[in-house]
Amino acid sequence: MSWAARAAAFYGSPTTRSKSRGPERQNALTEVFRLFDVDDSGFIEITELLKLGKARRALGQKRSSWDDSKNAKFFEHLDTNEDGLVSQKEFIRLFNEKLAYDPEEFQRIIAEFKLTAQYVRSHMAGEMPSLSPSLSPSPSPPREPPSSQRRQRVSSSPTATSRSAPAVTPNKAERTPSTKPRRPAPSPPATKGKMIVGTAE
């Protein structure tokens, strides 16, 4: 296919262009603008555009990198009145001229834009987007250890060890009271007997 044929297929003929600028195209771009306005302020800010550009790369819609410099240059093309914000009118005017005039190709890009906005909104809301298994991995529940391991853990715990530890037996010296030799009780003093001598009459 020649270059002219490829260009005609992408941009469309003049007749196709006039037909594709109908209300369907305008409505689709209006819906995309409202989704791209992720903070619902009525305008697209440069920080929102940066998130959207990086999200398209994260989703595999674009292969090139997207940094602050590229984002600033593209924002200048959108912000025609240079007020630091992109209005709905500015957004539709540029993308109506920039996007493909082929209806099928146009709808494919619109679908990618909507997916990108869903991805960014989910991240800003603190939620993981459920777009693909790789983007929203479900955490696996913690595995319960086998019963044998649980018993082993309980038996090796400090509490179990302290419970099953044998009681410390005291020393023999501590158990047996000290026995000192007792002094014999003093014997009462001997009574000196008086000898009674009988006298003969």
Side-chain angles (χ1 to χ4, degrees):
M1 183 183 293
S2 63
W3 179 87
R6 288 196 302 269
F10 183 80
Y11 292 104
S13 61
T15 305
T16 306
R17 292 184 188 184
S18 60
K19 289 181 180 180
S20 63
R21 296 186 186 218
E24 294 83 5
R25 189 178 176 98
Q26 299 283 335
N27 294 338
L29 289 173
T30 300
E31 184 180 1
V32 170
F33 173 82
R34 291 174 180 172
L35 292 173
F36 276 12
D37 178 21
V38 292
D39 61 355
D40 300 322
S41 64
F43 299 92
I44 297 177
E45 303 170 3
I46 190 169
T47 54
E48 292 173 326
L49 188 66
L50 180 63
K51 293 176 183 177
L52 293 165
K54 290 185 175 182
R56 293 201 70 189
R57 276 73 183 172
L59 293 170
Q61 299 175 3
K62 291 287 186 178
R63 295 184 179 179
S64 59
S65 61
W66 191 256
D67 53 17
D68 293 340
S69 177
K70 293 181 180 180
N71 186 72
K73 289 179 181 179
F74 187 62
F75 191 83
E76 290 179 2
H77 290 294
L78 286 168
D79 184 20
T80 54
N81 62 357
E82 299 180 356
D83 63 346
L85 299 169
V86 176
S87 64
Q88 178 177 322
K89 184 178 180 180
E90 291 171 330
F91 180 86
I92 294 176
R93 182 191 300 119
L94 185 138
F95 279 98
N96 199 22
E97 295 290 336
K98 182 179 177 62
L99 296 184
Y101 289 96
D102 178 66
E104 293 183 1
E105 181 67 16
F106 176 78
Q107 291 300 329
R108 184 188 68 81
I109 298 174
I110 291 297
E112 289 184 356
F113 282 172
K114 291 180 180 179
L115 194 64
T116 301
Q118 177 190 354
Y119 181 87
V120 174
R121 284 176 174 268
S122 299
H123 271 272
M124 291 185 67
E127 303 171 357
M128 287 300 295
S130 56
L131 303 176
S132 66
S134 60
L135 291 176
S136 57
S138 57
S140 58
R143 297 180 62 185
E144 186 70 18
S147 57
S148 60
Q149 293 184 8
R150 291 200 302 269
R151 288 196 298 268
Q152 185 178 2
R153 287 183 183 177
V154 171
S155 61
S156 60
S157 63
T159 308
T161 305
S162 62
R163 289 178 181 174
S164 60
V168 180
T169 56
N171 254 346
K172 189 174 182 182
E174 296 175 358
R175 284 185 304 168
T176 309
S178 62
T179 55
K180 296 182 179 180
R182 296 183 178 179
R183 291 183 178 180
S187 56
T191 306
K192 295 180 179 181
K194 294 181 179 181
M195 293 182 64
I196 302 175
V197 179
T199 58
E201 287 182 1

